[in-house]
Amino acid sequence: MSQRPLPLNAIHAFIVTARHLNLTRAAGELCITQGAVSRKIASLETWLGFSLFDRHARGLRLTPQGSALLPALQAGYQQIFDAAQSSRQQAVIRLKAPTCAMRWLLPKLVALEKRRPDLHVSLTTTVDHSSQLEHYDAAILYGTSGRGMRLFEEELTPVIAPGLLASSSFTEQRLAAMTFLHPTTDSRDWQLWLKSQRMTIALLRNQHFATMDLAISAAIQGYGVTVADVTLIAEDLAMQRLVAPFSGRVKTGALYSLIRRPAEEAPPLLDELVSWLAAPEETGAG
C-alpha cells in the first residue's frame, strides 16, 4: 500500500459522490467542477489500489470494495469533523483593551461567559492606545479618532466615596477644600469640567494617576474626589461605592471604540462578542 498521506479531501468527495451517485450533483454540493470531483476520487482510488465506482450510462454504482469501505469512511470522517468542530467552538478570542476601560469591560465579559460558557476571551490590558490589532482578534481603543465601531463617548462628572458626602448639599466651597484626584498626569480633565460648570477653583491639593481606573479606585477608598466617565462608573454608582454630588457632565471629545479582524480571518464567536460589547447597557448587564 502507498505510504503517501491519505487524501482527506478526496475522502469527503467520495462520501458525497456515494450519496448522490451522480457527479453533477456531487460537484454542486462540493462547489467544484465535475472534473475536480473525478480527479479527487481517482486520487483516492490510486491510494487504495482499487476502484470505488463503476461508471455506466445511467451514472455511478459503488463497487463491492467501495460499498464495503464507505461506512467506515463515513464514520471516521464524521468523528474527525465532530472533534474539529468541538475545538472550533472552544477557540479563544484574543482581546486587547486599555486599563481605563476595565470597570466597564470586566462585568460585561463575566456576564457573557455565564451565558456562553463555550466562549472564552483572553484579555490583555494595556496603556497603549494604538489602533493596531497586531496578534489580537479585537481591540478596544480610546481616543478622538473614532476608528472602528463606536462603543460610548467619554463624559465626565465628579465622584466621591459616600462617606465624604456627609450631607445632601455639596457646594463649590466644599469641593475646593478636597484633594483632587487626577486621572492623568496633568489637570486637563478637571479643568474641562470646571470650565463647563463656570466654576473657578484653585486646585490646592492634588494627586495624579496614570489611568482613570486608578483615580476611581482611590476615590472609592475615600482619598479624594475625581472626575470619571459616567459609563465606566455606572456599576460603582449603582452599588453606592461612589456618589456623584453634581449633576453637571462634560464630554471630552474622546470615545471608546472597537476594531476587529475581518470575517474571513475571525475566530469562532467573535461576532457574538462584538455584538455583546456593542449592546446597550441594559442588554449587556443581563
Side-chain angles (χ1 to χ4, degrees):
M1 181 179 290
S2 171
Q3 297 302 307
R4 291 178 299 166
L6 182 63
L8 293 179
N9 285 338
I11 291 175
H12 185 216
F14 166 58
I15 292 170
V16 172
T17 304
R19 183 166 66 249
H20 293 291
L21 292 177
N22 182 285
L23 286 175
T24 301
R25 288 197 290 269
E29 179 175 333
L30 294 168
C31 298
I32 58 178
T33 65
Q34 293 182 42
V37 176
S38 294
R39 288 191 293 273
K40 288 180 182 294
I41 292 172
S43 71
L44 182 58
E45 289 175 330
T46 299
W47 197 94
L48 292 168
F50 56 79
S51 296
L52 296 168
F53 295 100
D54 287 327
R55 280 77 171 173
H56 57 88
R58 295 186 177 181
L60 302 176
R61 181 171 56 238
L62 284 164
T63 64
Q65 296 98 322
S67 293
L69 183 62
L70 179 60
L73 290 184
Q74 286 173 323
Y77 191 85
Q78 186 63 46
Q79 185 175 5
I80 292 172
F81 178 85
D82 291 344
Q85 183 72 1
S86 176
S87 297
R88 182 177 184 269
Q89 291 302 319
Q90 295 177 7
V92 173
I93 299 174
R94 300 162 300 175
L95 175 65
K96 180 174 72 171
T99 55
C100 56
M102 288 302 100
R103 308 191 83 83
W104 169 82
L105 178 61
L106 287 178
K108 293 180 78 74
L109 293 181
V110 170
L112 176 58
E113 293 197 358
K114 284 181 179 178
R115 287 170 59 103
R116 291 297 304 269
D118 54 336
L119 192 158
H120 302 286
V121 176
S122 175
L123 178 63
T124 299
T125 60
T126 179
V127 294
D128 176 19
H129 301 308
S130 67
S131 58
Q132 300 301 315
L133 279 175
E134 299 163 335
H135 54 280
Y136 299 98
D137 302 307
I140 294 174
L141 309 178
Y142 169 77
T144 57
S145 64
R147 180 187 171 197
M149 177 184 298
R150 176 176 297 204
L151 297 174
F152 57 91
E153 293 181 87
E154 184 175 57
E155 191 173 11
L156 303 179
T157 195
V159 288
I160 60 174
L164 296 181
L165 188 59
S167 69
S168 58
S169 175
F170 196 87
T171 63
E172 184 175 339
Q173 289 72 27
R174 286 190 61 196
L175 176 62
M178 300 197 69
T179 297
F180 290 87
L181 310 178
H182 299 272
T184 60
T185 56
D186 56 27
S187 303
R188 65 181 185 273
D189 287 342
W190 263 114
Q191 296 293 354
L192 183 64
W193 185 85
L194 291 170
K195 182 178 180 180
S196 72
Q197 303 303 303
R198 298 181 180 177
M199 292 185 186
T200 303
I201 293 177
L203 307 182
L204 300 179
R205 299 168 59 187
N206 302 276
Q207 290 290 339
H208 296 268
F209 297 87
T211 69
M212 182 172 289
D213 188 59
L214 291 173
I216 292 171
S217 296
I220 290 174
Q221 298 300 317
Y223 196 37
V225 57
T226 189
V227 280
D229 177 76
V230 295
T231 300
L232 297 183
I233 59 169
E235 185 170 350
D236 295 307
L237 293 174
M239 299 299 293
Q240 296 186 332
R241 292 188 287 264
L242 289 171
V243 292
F246 299 99
S247 60
R249 301 175 176 183
V250 61
K251 291 183 178 181
T252 66
L255 56 86
Y256 291 84
S257 58
L258 177 72
I259 58 174
R260 52 158 293 167
R261 292 200 176 278
E264 61 271 18
E265 301 176 10
L269 305 181
L270 179 57
D271 286 346
E272 187 164 345
L273 173 64
V274 170
S275 297
W276 183 264
L277 295 179
E281 286 304 302
E282 58 269 22
T283 302

